[in-house]
Amino acid sequence: MAQYDRLSQLEETWFPMASLGSEMRHVFQTQIDRHEDAFLTGGEELDGEINSLQFRLMNKFDLLEELIRKNPYVPLPLSQIELLKKDYGQLLELGQGIEPWMGEDAELTPVMQKEIQRHGRLQHNLLERFTALDERFSACFIEAIQENKAKSLHTTFFLGFLFVLVILCVTVIIEKMAGHLLIKPLTTIKDNIRRFAVFHDVVEPEGVNPSDEVGLLASAFWEMTKDLKATTVSKRYVDNIIRNMSGALVVLGLDDCIQKVNQQATELFGYGEGDLIGQRVTLLFANGEDNPLHNVRGLENWFCRNVEVDCRRQDGHVFKAHFSGSTMDNEIGKVVGIVCVLNDITEMKIAEQKLKRMALYDALTGLANRHLFFDRLDLAIHEAKRSGNKFALLFLDLDNFKPVNDTFGHDIGDLVLKEVAARLQHLVRSGDTVARVGGDEFTIVLTGIHEEQAAARVAEKIIQCIGAPFIFGEVSCPLGVSIGVSLFPDQGEMADLLINKADQAMYSAKNKGRNTYCFYRK
């Protein structure tokens, strides 16, 4: 009964729990990709798919909550799932709030950018929590399998002891009964022992006489082995479970050689199963000996979870993966190997890069946004204070840009802004920072400026460059630029003070007739 309960728990709790964790992470990852596509392209055709994914994920939440309520074995408080569900609902509400801003024509205000950054951080946080939930459930599933295998082995030893007792009893009976009455039932018992040892169906004794003790013994043994077979987890059953795991499973011996892999491992690394069995595990890591299994020898109860590692496929491609592993004991508690699970996190890394770029760079021009501009300005102040150098802050505002939008439309206006960004980046050095801080407002941090004249020369080049017509097909857009300049530390040593004075100088340039530059003067 205990073995049956363990098997039921494995089938009704751990396997559905691991499946739900993997499905929830996959659905949320797909929702992120679709939402990013909709945000970048403004495509309304993706809304239906996104809503369907949201409904699926909420349904998975309900199934998981029901599973936790019904199964006290789940090592996860219901409150944690409810909090994750609540945070996911908050992400949906926040996503609905930023949907009207999607599309290339959207002009993001600082408030909008702040909401988008908040949405990105929450989305990244939820992805990590869904991934952690999936990996925790997978780890629990593997531990349950290992525990069940160990207990099944104990049951087998007990059965073997029972077999010995049965054989001894049969031997005593054989000495007391005629040979022709014992041969058939003893042969049946022998065949059933052999069949049971290889997990084959046992044969029911035929024509058992109630007064025939040996025949009754054969019948009792058949009943016993039939019941044990029904409650014992076979090797094939465990292999099927391992084959359907979401992660790549690698089982190692104490010599660091690979003893067993599942199908996911062969697909992830591009090797055949025969190519991996017997090989050193360092074959799978990009840095050879520099892997989480280094110096594990001699440790008992070693455990490692979600360590980021560099793995290498057979074709030489290196990718990021999460590594989890633990020692594997035999029935007497001696370490006999290591069980490892690896999950490819390439898509998660790509999503992180997308979110980072959305948070730090202007979506239209690719320049640094306000957030990154303030970071670069603070860094320039810190470096200038340390080295005793100067730098210049230029505040640019395009002249006659509104008529371009009004006359030719926002599509041409966006092309103009992109071209302005490209021209500005071409004029400055690699160590300088060009940022778009408003609709047609740009800032430039010129480091290593030792005198006012150097900043003036750059400003003159910018005016000349922006003054060249912007031509798109048959459309020609003449523009100018008004530039205000403040110097560190002459006009202050605080970021806000330098920006304010550069802005004032820019308005002075506007008042002088535009398409010129002015330094801040008291």
Side-chain angles (χ1 to χ4, degrees), residues 58-112:
M58 294 303 291
N59 185 45
K60 300 298 182 184
F61 270 115
D62 295 337
L63 292 175
L64 184 56
E65 288 175 347
E66 182 180 359
L67 181 66
I68 294 176
R69 291 190 184 98
K70 290 183 177 180
N71 297 274
Y73 307 106
V74 177
L76 187 69
L78 183 60
S79 59
Q80 185 173 341
I81 298 301
E82 292 174 345
L83 178 58
L84 182 60
K85 183 177 181 182
K86 178 182 177 182
D87 291 344
Y88 177 70
Q90 182 181 358
L91 178 69
L92 297 182
E93 293 178 2
L94 196 57
Q96 292 174 356
I98 67 175
E99 282 181 358
W101 311 333
M102 293 181 181
E104 295 184 354
D105 295 340
E107 187 169 328
L108 301 181
T109 67
V111 175
M112 294 177 183

Short mmCIF file of all heavy atoms in Angstrom, two decimals, residues 58-112:
data_model
loop_
_atom_site.label_atom_id
_atom_site.label_comp_id
_atom_site.label_asym_id
_atom_site.label_seq_id
_atom_site.Cartn_x
_atom_site.Cartn_y
_atom_site.Cartn_z
N MET A 58 -4.12 32.22 -16.90
CA MET A 58 -4.99 32.33 -15.72
C MET A 58 -5.63 30.97 -15.42
O MET A 58 -5.81 30.59 -14.27
CB MET A 58 -6.07 33.39 -15.96
CG MET A 58 -5.52 34.82 -16.09
SD MET A 58 -4.54 35.37 -14.66
CE MET A 58 -5.85 35.50 -13.43
N ASN A 59 -5.95 30.20 -16.47
CA ASN A 59 -6.51 28.87 -16.26
C ASN A 59 -5.48 27.95 -15.61
O ASN A 59 -5.81 27.15 -14.74
CB ASN A 59 -6.97 28.31 -17.60
CG ASN A 59 -7.67 26.97 -17.45
OD1 ASN A 59 -8.52 26.80 -16.58
ND2 ASN A 59 -7.33 26.01 -18.28
N LYS A 60 -4.20 28.08 -16.03
CA LYS A 60 -3.14 27.28 -15.40
C LYS A 60 -2.98 27.66 -13.92
O LYS A 60 -2.72 26.80 -13.08
CB LYS A 60 -1.80 27.51 -16.12
CG LYS A 60 -1.81 27.13 -17.59
CD LYS A 60 -2.09 25.68 -17.82
CE LYS A 60 -2.04 25.35 -19.31
NZ LYS A 60 -2.42 23.94 -19.56
N PHE A 61 -3.13 28.95 -13.61
CA PHE A 61 -3.08 29.37 -12.20
C PHE A 61 -4.16 28.64 -11.40
O PHE A 61 -3.92 28.14 -10.28
CB PHE A 61 -3.30 30.88 -12.09
CG PHE A 61 -2.03 31.67 -12.15
CD1 PHE A 61 -1.78 32.55 -13.20
CD2 PHE A 61 -1.06 31.55 -11.15
CE1 PHE A 61 -0.61 33.29 -13.24
CE2 PHE A 61 0.10 32.28 -11.18
CZ PHE A 61 0.32 33.15 -12.25
N ASP A 62 -5.41 28.60 -11.96
CA ASP A 62 -6.51 27.95 -11.24
C ASP A 62 -6.22 26.47 -11.02
O ASP A 62 -6.48 25.92 -9.94
CB ASP A 62 -7.80 28.13 -12.04
CG ASP A 62 -8.23 29.59 -12.12
OD1 ASP A 62 -7.81 30.39 -11.24
OD2 ASP A 62 -8.99 29.93 -13.05
N LEU A 63 -5.68 25.79 -12.07
CA LEU A 63 -5.36 24.37 -11.93
C LEU A 63 -4.30 24.14 -10.86
O LEU A 63 -4.38 23.19 -10.07
CB LEU A 63 -4.89 23.82 -13.27
CG LEU A 63 -5.94 23.75 -14.40
CD1 LEU A 63 -5.29 23.31 -15.70
CD2 LEU A 63 -7.07 22.81 -14.01
N LEU A 64 -3.27 25.02 -10.85
CA LEU A 64 -2.19 24.86 -9.87
C LEU A 64 -2.70 25.10 -8.45
O LEU A 64 -2.32 24.39 -7.52
CB LEU A 64 -1.06 25.83 -10.20
CG LEU A 64 0.20 25.73 -9.31
CD1 LEU A 64 0.76 24.32 -9.33
CD2 LEU A 64 1.26 26.72 -9.78
N GLU A 65 -3.55 26.12 -8.26
CA GLU A 65 -4.11 26.39 -6.93
C GLU A 65 -4.95 25.20 -6.46
O GLU A 65 -4.88 24.81 -5.28
CB GLU A 65 -4.96 27.65 -6.99
CG GLU A 65 -4.14 28.93 -7.13
CD GLU A 65 -5.01 30.17 -7.29
OE1 GLU A 65 -6.22 30.02 -7.53
OE2 GLU A 65 -4.48 31.28 -7.18
N GLU A 66 -5.73 24.63 -7.37
CA GLU A 66 -6.55 23.46 -7.00
C GLU A 66 -5.66 22.27 -6.63
O GLU A 66 -5.94 21.55 -5.67
CB GLU A 66 -7.45 23.09 -8.17
CG GLU A 66 -8.39 21.91 -7.87
CD GLU A 66 -9.27 21.57 -9.05
OE1 GLU A 66 -9.17 22.27 -10.09
OE2 GLU A 66 -10.06 20.62 -8.93
N LEU A 67 -4.55 22.10 -7.39
CA LEU A 67 -3.62 21.00 -7.09
C LEU A 67 -2.99 21.16 -5.72
O LEU A 67 -2.85 20.20 -4.96
CB LEU A 67 -2.54 20.94 -8.18
CG LEU A 67 -1.49 19.85 -8.04
CD1 LEU A 67 -2.13 18.49 -8.21
CD2 LEU A 67 -0.39 20.03 -9.09
N ILE A 68 -2.62 22.39 -5.38
CA ILE A 68 -1.98 22.64 -4.07
C ILE A 68 -2.97 22.41 -2.94
O ILE A 68 -2.64 21.88 -1.88
CB ILE A 68 -1.40 24.07 -4.04
CG1 ILE A 68 -0.25 24.19 -5.03
CG2 ILE A 68 -0.92 24.42 -2.64
CD1 ILE A 68 0.32 25.58 -5.14
N ARG A 69 -4.23 22.84 -3.14
CA ARG A 69 -5.25 22.64 -2.09
C ARG A 69 -5.51 21.15 -1.83
O ARG A 69 -5.74 20.74 -0.69
CB ARG A 69 -6.54 23.33 -2.50
CG ARG A 69 -6.46 24.87 -2.50
CD ARG A 69 -7.85 25.46 -2.68
NE ARG A 69 -7.80 26.91 -2.78
CZ ARG A 69 -7.82 27.56 -3.94
NH1 ARG A 69 -7.88 26.89 -5.08
NH2 ARG A 69 -7.77 28.88 -3.95
N LYS A 70 -5.50 20.34 -2.88
CA LYS A 70 -5.85 18.94 -2.74
C LYS A 70 -4.68 18.06 -2.29
O LYS A 70 -4.89 16.95 -1.82
CB LYS A 70 -6.37 18.40 -4.08
CG LYS A 70 -7.73 18.96 -4.49
CD LYS A 70 -8.20 18.33 -5.79
CE LYS A 70 -9.58 18.82 -6.19
NZ LYS A 70 -10.03 18.20 -7.45
N ASN A 71 -3.44 18.56 -2.46
CA ASN A 71 -2.27 17.74 -2.19
C ASN A 71 -1.37 18.41 -1.15
O ASN A 71 -0.68 19.40 -1.47
CB ASN A 71 -1.47 17.48 -3.47
CG ASN A 71 -2.26 16.72 -4.50
OD1 ASN A 71 -2.29 15.50 -4.49
ND2 ASN A 71 -2.90 17.46 -5.40
N PRO A 72 -1.36 17.89 0.05
CA PRO A 72 -0.51 18.49 1.10
C PRO A 72 0.98 18.23 0.87
O PRO A 72 1.81 18.80 1.55
CB PRO A 72 -0.98 17.78 2.37
CG PRO A 72 -1.51 16.46 1.89
CD PRO A 72 -2.14 16.73 0.56
N TYR A 73 1.35 17.36 -0.13
CA TYR A 73 2.76 17.06 -0.37
C TYR A 73 3.47 18.18 -1.12
O TYR A 73 4.70 18.19 -1.16
CB TYR A 73 2.90 15.77 -1.19
CG TYR A 73 2.16 14.58 -0.60
CD1 TYR A 73 0.99 14.13 -1.17
CD2 TYR A 73 2.66 13.93 0.53
CE1 TYR A 73 0.30 13.05 -0.63
CE2 TYR A 73 1.98 12.85 1.07
CZ TYR A 73 0.79 12.41 0.48
OH TYR A 73 0.14 11.36 1.01
N VAL A 74 2.73 19.07 -1.76
CA VAL A 74 3.37 20.11 -2.57
C VAL A 74 4.13 21.07 -1.66
O VAL A 74 3.54 21.71 -0.80
CB VAL A 74 2.31 20.89 -3.39
CG1 VAL A 74 2.99 22.01 -4.17
CG2 VAL A 74 1.59 19.94 -4.33
N PRO A 75 5.47 21.20 -1.86
CA PRO A 75 6.29 22.05 -0.97
C PRO A 75 6.24 23.52 -1.38
O PRO A 75 7.25 24.17 -1.53
CB PRO A 75 7.69 21.47 -1.18
CG PRO A 75 7.69 21.05 -2.59
CD PRO A 75 6.30 20.54 -2.87
N LEU A 76 5.05 24.04 -1.54
CA LEU A 76 4.90 25.42 -1.99
C LEU A 76 3.63 25.99 -1.37
O LEU A 76 2.54 25.44 -1.58
CB LEU A 76 4.81 25.48 -3.51
CG LEU A 76 4.82 26.87 -4.13
CD1 LEU A 76 6.20 27.51 -3.96
CD2 LEU A 76 4.46 26.81 -5.60
N PRO A 77 3.73 27.08 -0.59
CA PRO A 77 2.52 27.64 0.03
C PRO A 77 1.60 28.23 -1.03
O PRO A 77 2.04 28.80 -2.03
CB PRO A 77 3.09 28.73 0.97
CG PRO A 77 4.40 29.09 0.38
CD PRO A 77 4.94 27.83 -0.22
N LEU A 78 0.31 28.07 -0.80
CA LEU A 78 -0.68 28.62 -1.72
C LEU A 78 -0.55 30.12 -1.84
O LEU A 78 -0.80 30.70 -2.91
CB LEU A 78 -2.09 28.23 -1.25
CG LEU A 78 -3.26 28.67 -2.15
CD1 LEU A 78 -3.13 28.05 -3.53
CD2 LEU A 78 -4.59 28.28 -1.51
N SER A 79 -0.13 30.78 -0.75
CA SER A 79 -0.01 32.25 -0.76
C SER A 79 1.00 32.71 -1.81
O SER A 79 0.85 33.76 -2.41
CB SER A 79 0.38 32.76 0.62
OG SER A 79 1.62 32.19 1.04
N GLN A 80 2.05 31.91 -2.04
CA GLN A 80 3.06 32.30 -3.03
C GLN A 80 2.48 32.29 -4.44
O GLN A 80 2.77 33.17 -5.24
CB GLN A 80 4.25 31.35 -2.94
CG GLN A 80 5.43 31.75 -3.84
CD GLN A 80 6.64 30.88 -3.59
OE1 GLN A 80 6.77 30.23 -2.56
NE2 GLN A 80 7.55 30.86 -4.56
N ILE A 81 1.65 31.27 -4.75
CA ILE A 81 0.99 31.23 -6.06
C ILE A 81 0.00 32.36 -6.19
O ILE A 81 -0.10 33.01 -7.25
CB ILE A 81 0.29 29.87 -6.24
CG1 ILE A 81 1.33 28.74 -6.20
CG2 ILE A 81 -0.46 29.84 -7.58
CD1 ILE A 81 2.40 28.87 -7.25
N GLU A 82 -0.74 32.65 -5.10
CA GLU A 82 -1.71 33.75 -5.15
C GLU A 82 -1.00 35.09 -5.36
O GLU A 82 -1.51 35.96 -6.10
CB GLU A 82 -2.53 33.77 -3.87
CG GLU A 82 -3.46 32.56 -3.72
CD GLU A 82 -4.16 32.53 -2.36
OE1 GLU A 82 -3.72 33.26 -1.45
OE2 GLU A 82 -5.14 31.79 -2.23
N LEU A 83 0.17 35.26 -4.75
CA LEU A 83 0.93 36.51 -4.94
C LEU A 83 1.42 36.61 -6.38
O LEU A 83 1.37 37.68 -6.99
CB LEU A 83 2.11 36.54 -3.97
CG LEU A 83 3.04 37.79 -4.08
CD1 LEU A 83 2.25 39.06 -3.85
CD2 LEU A 83 4.19 37.67 -3.08
N LEU A 84 1.89 35.47 -6.95
CA LEU A 84 2.34 35.48 -8.34
C LEU A 84 1.18 35.80 -9.28
O LEU A 84 1.33 36.55 -10.24
CB LEU A 84 2.96 34.11 -8.68
CG LEU A 84 3.52 33.94 -10.09
CD1 LEU A 84 4.63 34.95 -10.35
CD2 LEU A 84 4.03 32.52 -10.30
N LYS A 85 0.01 35.23 -8.97
CA LYS A 85 -1.17 35.50 -9.78
C LYS A 85 -1.58 36.97 -9.68
O LYS A 85 -1.96 37.60 -10.68
CB LYS A 85 -2.32 34.59 -9.32
CG LYS A 85 -3.59 34.72 -10.14
CD LYS A 85 -4.64 33.72 -9.66
CE LYS A 85 -5.92 33.82 -10.49
NZ LYS A 85 -6.94 32.88 -9.99
N LYS A 86 -1.49 37.51 -8.46
CA LYS A 86 -1.83 38.93 -8.26
C LYS A 86 -0.88 39.82 -9.04
O LYS A 86 -1.30 40.78 -9.71
CB LYS A 86 -1.77 39.26 -6.76
CG LYS A 86 -2.05 40.73 -6.46
CD LYS A 86 -1.93 41.00 -4.96
CE LYS A 86 -2.13 42.49 -4.65
NZ LYS A 86 -1.97 42.77 -3.20
N ASP A 87 0.44 39.53 -8.98
CA ASP A 87 1.42 40.34 -9.71
C ASP A 87 1.22 40.20 -11.22
O ASP A 87 1.43 41.15 -11.98
CB ASP A 87 2.84 39.91 -9.34
CG ASP A 87 3.19 40.30 -7.90
OD1 ASP A 87 2.46 41.13 -7.33
OD2 ASP A 87 4.17 39.77 -7.35
N TYR A 88 0.81 39.02 -11.66
CA TYR A 88 0.53 38.85 -13.08
C TYR A 88 -0.67 39.69 -13.50
O TYR A 88 -0.67 40.32 -14.56
CB TYR A 88 0.27 37.37 -13.38
CG TYR A 88 -0.11 37.12 -14.82
CD1 TYR A 88 0.84 37.25 -15.83
CD2 TYR A 88 -1.41 36.76 -15.18
CE1 TYR A 88 0.51 37.03 -17.15
CE2 TYR A 88 -1.74 36.53 -16.50
CZ TYR A 88 -0.80 36.66 -17.47
OH TYR A 88 -1.14 36.45 -18.77
N GLY A 89 -1.70 39.74 -12.63
CA GLY A 89 -2.84 40.61 -12.91
C GLY A 89 -2.42 42.07 -12.99
O GLY A 89 -2.92 42.83 -13.82
N GLN A 90 -1.51 42.48 -12.09
CA GLN A 90 -1.01 43.86 -12.13
C GLN A 90 -0.29 44.13 -13.44
O GLN A 90 -0.40 45.21 -14.01
CB GLN A 90 -0.06 44.09 -10.95
CG GLN A 90 0.48 45.51 -10.86
CD GLN A 90 1.43 45.67 -9.69
OE1 GLN A 90 1.67 44.74 -8.92
NE2 GLN A 90 1.98 46.85 -9.56
N LEU A 91 0.48 43.10 -13.97
CA LEU A 91 1.16 43.27 -15.25
C LEU A 91 0.15 43.46 -16.37
O LEU A 91 0.35 44.26 -17.27
CB LEU A 91 2.04 42.04 -15.52
CG LEU A 91 2.77 42.04 -16.87
CD1 LEU A 91 3.85 43.12 -16.88
CD2 LEU A 91 3.37 40.67 -17.16
N LEU A 92 -0.97 42.69 -16.33
CA LEU A 92 -1.99 42.82 -17.35
C LEU A 92 -2.61 44.22 -17.33
O LEU A 92 -2.81 44.85 -18.37
CB LEU A 92 -3.08 41.76 -17.15
CG LEU A 92 -2.63 40.30 -17.29
CD1 LEU A 92 -3.81 39.37 -17.12
CD2 LEU A 92 -1.95 40.07 -18.63
N GLU A 93 -2.91 44.72 -16.11
CA GLU A 93 -3.48 46.06 -16.00
C GLU A 93 -2.49 47.11 -16.51
O GLU A 93 -2.87 48.04 -17.24
CB GLU A 93 -3.82 46.37 -14.54
CG GLU A 93 -4.96 45.51 -13.98
CD GLU A 93 -5.24 45.80 -12.51
OE1 GLU A 93 -4.57 46.69 -11.95
OE2 GLU A 93 -6.12 45.16 -11.94
N LEU A 94 -1.22 46.94 -16.19
CA LEU A 94 -0.21 47.89 -16.64
C LEU A 94 -0.06 47.80 -18.16
O LEU A 94 0.12 48.81 -18.83
CB LEU A 94 1.13 47.57 -15.96
CG LEU A 94 2.20 48.67 -16.00
CD1 LEU A 94 1.66 49.96 -15.38
CD2 LEU A 94 3.44 48.22 -15.26
N GLY A 95 -0.14 46.57 -18.72
CA GLY A 95 -0.04 46.41 -20.17
C GLY A 95 -1.20 47.06 -20.89
O GLY A 95 -1.04 47.63 -21.97
N GLN A 96 -2.41 46.97 -20.30
CA GLN A 96 -3.56 47.62 -20.92
C GLN A 96 -3.40 49.13 -20.93
O GLN A 96 -3.87 49.82 -21.84
CB GLN A 96 -4.84 47.24 -20.16
CG GLN A 96 -5.22 45.76 -20.31
CD GLN A 96 -6.40 45.38 -19.43
OE1 GLN A 96 -6.88 46.21 -18.65
NE2 GLN A 96 -6.87 44.15 -19.56
N GLY A 97 -2.70 49.64 -19.91
CA GLY A 97 -2.51 51.09 -19.83
C GLY A 97 -1.55 51.61 -20.89
O GLY A 97 -1.67 52.74 -21.34
N ILE A 98 -0.57 50.77 -21.30
CA ILE A 98 0.43 51.26 -22.28
C ILE A 98 0.10 50.84 -23.69
O ILE A 98 0.82 51.20 -24.62
CB ILE A 98 1.84 50.76 -21.90
CG1 ILE A 98 1.93 49.23 -22.05
CG2 ILE A 98 2.22 51.21 -20.53
CD1 ILE A 98 3.31 48.70 -21.82
N GLU A 99 -0.96 50.03 -23.90
CA GLU A 99 -1.32 49.62 -25.25
C GLU A 99 -1.62 50.80 -26.17
O GLU A 99 -1.25 50.78 -27.35
CB GLU A 99 -2.53 48.69 -25.20
CG GLU A 99 -2.19 47.27 -24.80
CD GLU A 99 -3.40 46.36 -24.80
OE1 GLU A 99 -4.51 46.87 -25.07
OE2 GLU A 99 -3.24 45.17 -24.53
N PRO A 100 -2.31 51.87 -25.71
CA PRO A 100 -2.57 53.01 -26.63
C PRO A 100 -1.31 53.67 -27.12
O PRO A 100 -1.35 54.43 -28.08
CB PRO A 100 -3.40 53.95 -25.75
CG PRO A 100 -4.01 53.11 -24.70
CD PRO A 100 -3.03 52.03 -24.43
N TRP A 101 -0.15 53.42 -26.47
CA TRP A 101 1.08 54.09 -26.90
C TRP A 101 1.86 53.27 -27.93
O TRP A 101 2.95 53.65 -28.34
CB TRP A 101 1.99 54.35 -25.69
CG TRP A 101 1.29 54.99 -24.53
CD1 TRP A 101 0.20 55.80 -24.58
CD2 TRP A 101 1.61 54.84 -23.14
NE1 TRP A 101 -0.17 56.18 -23.34
CE2 TRP A 101 0.69 55.61 -22.40
CE3 TRP A 101 2.60 54.18 -22.44
CZ2 TRP A 101 0.71 55.73 -21.04
CZ3 TRP A 101 2.62 54.29 -21.05
CH2 TRP A 101 1.68 55.05 -20.36
N MET A 102 1.34 52.11 -28.31
CA MET A 102 2.08 51.25 -29.21
C MET A 102 2.12 51.86 -30.61
O MET A 102 1.22 52.57 -31.03
CB MET A 102 1.45 49.84 -29.27
CG MET A 102 1.55 49.08 -27.97
SD MET A 102 0.82 47.46 -28.12
CE MET A 102 1.06 46.84 -26.46
N GLY A 103 3.14 51.48 -31.35
CA GLY A 103 3.24 51.93 -32.73
C GLY A 103 4.41 52.87 -32.90
O GLY A 103 4.90 53.47 -31.97
N GLU A 104 4.85 53.01 -34.12
CA GLU A 104 6.01 53.86 -34.39
C GLU A 104 5.70 55.33 -34.26
O GLU A 104 6.58 56.16 -34.09
CB GLU A 104 6.53 53.57 -35.79
CG GLU A 104 7.09 52.16 -35.98
CD GLU A 104 7.67 51.95 -37.35
OE1 GLU A 104 7.52 52.86 -38.17
OE2 GLU A 104 8.26 50.88 -37.57
N ASP A 105 4.37 55.73 -34.39
CA ASP A 105 4.02 57.15 -34.34
C ASP A 105 3.90 57.67 -32.94
O ASP A 105 3.70 58.86 -32.72
CB ASP A 105 2.69 57.35 -35.08
CG ASP A 105 2.84 57.03 -36.56
OD1 ASP A 105 3.99 57.03 -37.07
OD2 ASP A 105 1.82 56.77 -37.19
N ALA A 106 3.93 56.77 -31.94
CA ALA A 106 3.73 57.23 -30.57
C ALA A 106 4.91 58.06 -30.12
O ALA A 106 6.06 57.67 -30.29
CB ALA A 106 3.53 56.04 -29.64
N GLU A 107 4.65 59.22 -29.56
CA GLU A 107 5.70 60.09 -29.02
C GLU A 107 5.68 59.96 -27.50
O GLU A 107 4.75 60.42 -26.85
CB GLU A 107 5.43 61.52 -29.46
CG GLU A 107 6.59 62.48 -29.08
CD GLU A 107 6.42 63.81 -29.75
OE1 GLU A 107 5.89 63.86 -30.85
OE2 GLU A 107 6.80 64.81 -29.14
N LEU A 108 6.64 59.29 -26.96
CA LEU A 108 6.61 58.91 -25.55
C LEU A 108 7.03 60.08 -24.67
O LEU A 108 8.09 60.67 -24.86
CB LEU A 108 7.53 57.72 -25.30
CG LEU A 108 7.20 56.47 -26.10
CD1 LEU A 108 8.16 55.35 -25.73
CD2 LEU A 108 5.77 56.04 -25.86
N THR A 109 6.19 60.38 -23.72
CA THR A 109 6.51 61.37 -22.70
C THR A 109 7.30 60.70 -21.59
O THR A 109 7.35 59.47 -21.52
CB THR A 109 5.21 61.97 -22.13
OG1 THR A 109 4.53 60.93 -21.41
CG2 THR A 109 4.34 62.57 -23.20
N PRO A 110 7.93 61.50 -20.71
CA PRO A 110 8.66 60.88 -19.58
C PRO A 110 7.75 59.98 -18.75
O PRO A 110 8.18 58.95 -18.26
CB PRO A 110 9.17 62.10 -18.79
CG PRO A 110 9.30 63.18 -19.82
CD PRO A 110 8.19 62.96 -20.80
N VAL A 111 6.50 60.36 -18.58
CA VAL A 111 5.58 59.52 -17.78
C VAL A 111 5.36 58.19 -18.49
O VAL A 111 5.36 57.12 -17.88
CB VAL A 111 4.24 60.26 -17.57
CG1 VAL A 111 3.25 59.35 -16.86
CG2 VAL A 111 4.46 61.53 -16.76
N MET A 112 5.17 58.26 -19.83
CA MET A 112 4.97 57.02 -20.58
C MET A 112 6.19 56.10 -20.48
O MET A 112 6.09 54.90 -20.29
CB MET A 112 4.69 57.35 -22.05
CG MET A 112 3.37 58.09 -22.30
SD MET A 112 3.21 58.51 -24.08
CE MET A 112 1.67 59.42 -24.07
#
